[in-house]
Amino acid sequence: MNYLPSELISHIMGYLNFNDRKEASLVNKAWYLAYLHPSLQRNVVVKCKPPEKGSLPQGLLRRRLTHIDFGEGRSESINEDSLLQILKECPGLMELDLSGCNHLFFSGRFLERESDRHILRKTLLNLKELKLTGLRQMTDMTFLRLVSVCENLERISLASTNIIFGNQLSGLNQISPVIFQFSTFLKFVKDIAGQIKSIDLSYTTVPNDALDALASIKGLVLDEIVLKNCSELNDKGVKLLVTKQHSLKILDISECRELGTTKAFFATLANNLPELHTLLMRKCVKMSQCDISSLADFKSLTTFDLGEVNNLTGNDLVKGLCSKGPKLKSLSFPFCPDVPNDFFIQLSSSNYLLTYLDLSSCHQLSDYALQAILRSMTLLQSLKLPYCREISDFGILGYIPEQGVIPAHTFDFDHVGCPCTRERDSKIFRKPVDIRKEEKACMSIVKKSMESGQPLHMLSNLSKLENLDLSFTIRITHVGLSQAIRFKHLRVLSLNGMARVVDDTLAIIAHHNANLEEVNVRGSKITDKGASELAMHCPNLTRLDVSQCEGLTNAGFELLATKAKRLRYLDVSYTSVTQEGVKNIESKFLSLKVLSRPYLY
């Protein structure tokens, strides 16, 4: 393969995921140069810290970077000269993230020299996205200097940035060397109104009239606007926005707690935004007062998030999302305990194209509804069901009795691991014998069906699943987990807070899910044996959370770090691993980040 052209090797590497591609680049120099092809670096975000002594890492520059994130480097070593030195060597840069780099703007002299601005103006011709999140020291002058070198900018983020919203929004105030005014941002948007497509003003106090002034700019046609946690925003401001920006495709108004006072809120959005495909409204607590059935009027909606909203009625949800509503690909209803079970059954038959489903803490989700989801939504790539307390082994194993009624639970697995309950049988509070017999009989039928090869709609039938979260579903035991979690493409698995997860469970899961990259088993019963099985059978493992697993010792910790070659993050907090053991491993494996919080006595 070394004799193949570099372009052909790069094309072959394009079929690998990022981790495998990175490993392949270490084979020899020819493969490394093929790995540096711009088409393979297009979606790779590099987080780096500018060098303190001004010497640039040549290996970093040869990658022909397209996305750089300086957000983690917030020390005084991030100075203007080192930043400019890197940017001048990155003509293919498409995204620049300076979030949190307040030191660059502290003196007010950032990009003061015209010669520097002239060079960057020629170099950053491909820059499309600029992130300036969490900046407190940026002023009008430094902002205008920075955006003057980004002539082809299409996306800008000012989330959590200190912006002064004045009264004269339509006019242009004098440029200030001390503060950053919204009027200055309006002037910038007016200058590039024909090319700017996305604006993020999250976590700011943007009022309704300021949003109206932005939406009214002549020639401005936005595809996306993010207004997450804008405390001054209400229904009036959103209405002013959508009636003037009809081309919006993505609208994020999460955590805006004053929204939802008008019943026709969803109807207003649907009538004015015909191209909207993503609507994010998590923690908009008043949305249950609106007419949710108007969701059926959206024609292009594919991604919808209405998490952490109480008092959602099933009839309105069925009318809005299940009857003639949009065909969704991503749906999130986390922490919505009032969503009825019937809605999930209707949803499974009407939205079978879903690839992402988050039903965390939907307490009314039953085994029967889960099986309806497993039968219909075969395209799911991400499924999150933590804290769904009604789900049991029968649900993930796909068992439905002949009468169609799943047996009641015997409460065997309630309060497992809780220190305030007794593990021994009580002579006073006895469990119902008949229900226990019925449950055991059904479980024996399930085992016989699996042994005979009879088709069951098990969780493992979701062949495209990549992310699975069953944390704190304490009715699921070793039997269900070991038989149902068998996937070819599963990368992320979360089984936190499940005291019934033992070494044998983790060993079987590791054996049948070799492509796992991230595993979370916080608070389980695993020991060194289970951790070693995971390290041996999952060569792609990069992140592991085994905190609160008291059976893990220094020996198992060292075995994990030694055998899991790709492991980069390991949480061993509240385990039997000592601080001396952590220091020893950190000195041997510099690329491994270990999180260890000791017990507090």
Side-chain angles (χ1 to χ4, degrees):
M1 190 169 174
N2 295 335
Y3 299 100
L4 295 177
S6 178
E7 292 78 6
L8 184 56
I9 300 177
S10 300
H11 179 74
I12 296 174
M13 285 186 174
Y15 291 97
L16 304 176
N17 59 40
F18 177 74
N19 287 332
D20 291 339
R21 195 187 309 155
K22 187 176 180 181
E23 290 290 326
S25 67
L26 301 178
V27 173
N28 53 42
K29 186 175 181 180
W31 286 29
Y32 176 70
L33 294 176
Y35 164 75
L36 298 179
H37 195 277
S39 63
L40 300 178
Q41 305 293 319
R42 189 169 298 164
N43 297 321
V44 178
V45 179
V46 176
K47 296 183 178 181
C48 62
K49 181 179 179 180
E52 299 181 11
K53 298 181 180 180
S55 58
L56 295 177
Q58 296 301 319
L60 187 65
L61 296 181
R62 283 200 301 267
R63 294 181 65 175
R64 288 166 278 187
L65 301 178
T66 58
H67 300 70
I68 302 184
D69 179 7
F70 295 110
E72 290 188 351
R74 295 171 183 170
S75 65
E76 294 185 359
S77 62
I78 304 180
N79 56 63
E80 181 181 353
D81 293 335
S82 58
L83 175 63
L84 293 177
Q85 193 175 6
I86 288 183
L87 294 182
K88 290 175 183 179
E89 300 292 336
C90 300
L93 198 63
M94 300 174 62
E95 177 185 331
L96 177 61
D97 189 348
L98 297 177
S99 300
C101 299
N102 279 293
H103 188 74
L104 290 172
F105 303 89
F106 189 77
S107 65
R109 302 178 61 182
F110 183 57
L111 292 179
E112 186 179 35
R113 296 186 293 270
E114 175 60 32
S115 58
D116 293 334
R117 298 200 298 271
H118 179 72
I119 295 175
L120 290 183
R121 200 173 289 118
K122 293 183 177 180
T123 306
L124 302 179
L125 290 175
N126 294 315
L127 189 66
K128 304 295 183 183
E129 182 171 0
L130 180 61
K131 295 183 179 180
L132 304 173
T133 303
L135 297 179
R136 300 300 181 194
Q137 309 296 335
M138 188 170 61
T139 66
D140 291 344
M141 296 183 66
T142 52
F143 173 77
L144 292 177
R145 290 176 195 155
L146 178 58
V147 296
S148 67
V149 302
C150 310
E151 296 183 345
N152 297 316
L153 207 61
E154 295 181 358
R155 305 168 61 88
I156 187 169
S157 174
L158 296 173
S160 300
T161 296
N162 191 18
I163 306 176
I164 304 300
F165 297 93
N167 295 324
Q168 301 177 353
L169 294 174
S170 57
L172 295 178
N173 299 333
Q174 185 177 1
I175 297 177
S176 172
V178 180
I179 59 176
F180 179 41
Q181 304 174 88
F182 188 72
S183 58
T184 302
F185 178 68
L186 286 180
K187 179 181 181 302
F188 158 70
V189 175
K190 287 180 180 179
D191 294 338
I192 62 168
Q195 67 187 48
I196 192 76
K197 296 298 179 183
S198 175
I199 295 177
D200 186 353
L201 296 174
S202 301
Y203 298 96
T204 63
T205 57
V206 53
N208 295 332
D209 50 355
L211 193 61
D212 182 35
L214 177 63
S216 303
I217 293 178
K218 186 177 180 180
L220 180 64
V221 183
L222 290 176
D223 290 339
E224 176 184 4
I225 189 166
V226 183
L227 302 169
K228 188 175 181 180
N229 199 358
C230 293
S231 57
E232 300 294 326
L233 198 62
N234 56 33
D235 290 7
K236 179 182 177 182
V238 174
K239 184 177 181 180
L240 292 171
L241 170 68
V242 300
T243 53
K244 296 176 182 178
Q245 293 293 325
H246 299 288
S247 63
L248 279 176
K249 298 178 178 62
I250 301 176
L251 177 62
D252 188 351
I253 47 178
S254 303
E255 302 181 33
C256 294
R257 298 180 179 272
E258 297 301 319
L259 296 180
T261 56
T262 57
K263 189 173 183 180
F265 182 84
F266 287 108
T268 301
L269 295 183
N271 294 333
N272 289 279
L273 303 177
E275 301 179 21
L276 188 71
H277 61 71
T278 300
L279 178 59
L280 308 179
M281 307 179 64
R282 183 169 298 194
K283 290 187 180 180
C284 293
V285 294
K286 297 182 179 180
M287 284 301 152
S288 58
Q289 305 174 11
C290 303
D291 185 10
I292 300 178
S293 61
S294 299
L295 288 170
D297 298 331
F298 285 97
K299 305 302 180 183
S300 304
L301 193 66
T302 59
T303 301
F304 183 53
D305 187 343
L306 194 62
E308 302 186 51
V309 177
N310 295 325
N311 302 320
L312 294 175
T313 60
N315 292 333
D316 288 343
L317 287 173
V318 170
K319 292 178 182 178
L321 296 175
C322 301
S323 56
K324 60 176 182 178
K327 300 303 179 183
L328 299 173
K329 293 185 178 180
S330 175
L331 178 63
S332 299
F333 273 111
F335 304 99
C336 295
D338 301 318
V339 178
N341 192 58
D342 293 339
F343 166 70
F344 301 121
I345 299 175
Q346 296 278 352
L347 180 71
S348 62
S349 59
S350 60
N351 288 271
Y352 51 86
L353 297 178
L354 278 172
T355 59
Y356 180 94
L357 182 60
D358 186 354
L359 302 179
S360 307
S361 291
C362 290
H363 297 320
Q364 300 190 38
L365 178 68
S366 66
D367 284 335
Y368 191 80
L370 176 61
Q371 291 169 17
I373 291 174
L374 299 181
R375 287 194 302 270
S376 302
M377 300 181 183
T378 56
L379 300 179
L380 278 175
Q381 298 178 9
S382 180
L383 179 61
K384 298 185 177 181
L385 303 172
Y387 295 99
C388 292
R389 59 193 181 192
E390 295 299 320
I391 296 177
S392 69
D393 287 335
F394 296 115
I396 64 174
L397 291 176
Y399 171 73
I400 300 179
E402 295 180 358
Q403 296 83 3
V405 180
I406 296 176
H409 300 292
T410 61
F411 310 102
D412 281 337
F413 312 117
D414 285 356
H415 310 291
V416 173
C418 179
C420 62
T421 58
R422 297 185 180 93
E423 296 184 0
R424 63 180 182 272
D425 292 334
S426 173
K427 296 181 179 180
I428 301 176
F429 302 102
R430 296 185 180 275
K431 297 171 182 177
V433 178
D434 294 339
I435 295 180
R436 293 191 67 178
K437 289 181 178 179
E438 183 183 2
E439 185 178 12
K440 290 181 179 179
C442 291
M443 184 57 67
S444 64
I445 295 175
V446 174
K447 292 180 179 179
K448 290 180 181 179
S449 299
M450 290 187 294
E451 291 173 357
S452 61
Q454 294 182 12
L456 294 173
H457 294 287
M458 299 176 62
L459 181 65
S460 56
N461 290 346
L462 302 179
S463 59
K464 299 182 182 297
L465 202 64
E466 298 180 2
N467 189 331
L468 177 62
D469 190 349
L470 295 175
S471 300
F472 299 97
T473 52
I474 56 177
R475 297 187 191 277
I476 298 178
T477 67
H478 167 79
V479 176
L481 294 174
S482 59
Q483 295 295 327
I485 303 182
R486 300 187 178 190
F487 302 96
K488 183 179 179 181
H489 304 290
L490 191 66
R491 296 185 298 105
V492 181
L493 176 63
S494 297
L495 300 175
N496 295 321
M498 300 181 70
R500 297 287 175 174
V501 174
V502 294
D503 289 337
D504 291 341
T505 311
L506 200 59
I508 296 175
I509 289 176
H511 181 74
H512 292 285
N513 301 270
N515 289 319
L516 281 172
E517 299 176 8
E518 179 179 342
V519 177
N520 304 296
V521 287
R522 183 177 72 249
S524 63
K525 297 289 186 180
I526 67 169
T527 64
D528 296 344
K529 179 183 176 182
S532 63
E533 291 285 341
L534 191 65
M536 286 190 295
H537 294 290
C538 300
N540 296 330
L541 191 66
T542 57
R543 296 178 64 90
L544 177 61
D545 184 356
V546 288
S547 57
Q548 301 179 30
C549 298
E550 297 182 355
L552 188 69
T553 64
N554 284 350
F557 174 48
E558 186 172 358
L559 190 65
L560 263 175
T562 305
K563 289 189 176 182
K565 301 296 184 181
R566 295 183 178 179
L567 195 62
R568 295 295 178 266
Y569 175 86
L570 178 59
D571 190 346
V572 293
S573 302
Y574 312 119
T575 64
S576 300
V577 177
T578 63
Q579 295 299 310
E580 291 75 13
V582 172
K583 293 179 180 178
N584 181 37
I585 293 299
E586 286 182 329
S587 62
K588 294 180 180 179
F589 304 93
L590 300 179
S591 61
L592 177 60
K593 180 180 180 181
V594 180
L595 180 61
S596 178
R597 299 187 182 95
Y599 279 108
L600 299 178
Y601 295 99

